[in-house]
Amino acid sequence: MEFDDDALREAPVRRVATRYIVRIPVLMHVGPAQIEGAIVDISDSGARVECKSLGVAPGASVSLELCWFDGPERLSMLAKFVRETSMGCALRFVDPDPFLRVFVKLARMHDTNVPDR
């Protein structure tokens, strides 16, 4: 899967949080299982992921490992399973600000002056 910078665009407004159409490859960790998928729309509160069925109950914990970053450290976001969709699932982020967490981690990974990456 490839990430296309030009693919980022706003989804139709029908929710409180603005959703963006993206294509971000992820590896989902659900218990011992690892499932490949792609985030296809995202907001500050959650995401819709194209993937095979997770086969879990609402509220199950899911870790989303973002696969389009090269580097020794993994970038991940914590979420809860909300529901199955026709092409995958809907997730709600657990982190109060998942975007800030990911971007701070990215900045720290690329700053050679930070001693505690």
Side-chain angles (χ1 to χ4, degrees):
M1 292 182 222
E2 291 184 20
F3 179 70
D4 181 6
D5 290 332
D6 295 331
L8 182 63
R9 60 187 189 279
E10 248 182 82
V13 177
R14 56 178 191 262
R15 294 180 173 87
V16 175
T18 301
R19 299 187 75 80
Y20 296 94
I21 305 301
V22 296
R23 185 134 196 105
I24 303 170
V26 294
L27 182 61
M28 295 183 293
H29 301 271
V30 183
Q34 294 185 1
I35 300 161
E36 289 184 5
I39 296 174
V40 293
D41 81 43
I42 192 167
S43 73
D44 61 352
S45 62
R48 186 168 53 89
V49 181
E50 281 184 357
C51 62
K52 69 177 189 173
S53 175
L54 300 183
V56 297
S61 294
V62 178
S63 174
L64 294 166
E65 183 180 322
L66 305 178
C67 297
W68 42 263
F69 292 111
D70 291 331
E73 193 170 341
R74 305 284 185 194
L75 289 174
S76 60
M77 301 167 83
L78 301 176
K80 294 286 184 183
F81 176 80
V82 176
R83 69 181 172 281
E84 295 283 337
T85 65
S86 61
M87 299 288 289
C89 66
L91 303 173
R92 176 164 320 214
F93 295 128
V94 173
D95 294 333
D97 191 343
F99 297 118
L100 179 60
R101 179 177 177 274
V102 167
F103 289 116
V104 165
K105 196 168 184 180
L106 269 174
R108 293 173 63 86
M109 283 173 53
H110 294 286
D111 186 348
T112 57
N113 297 321
V114 177
D116 64 335
R117 280 187 218 137

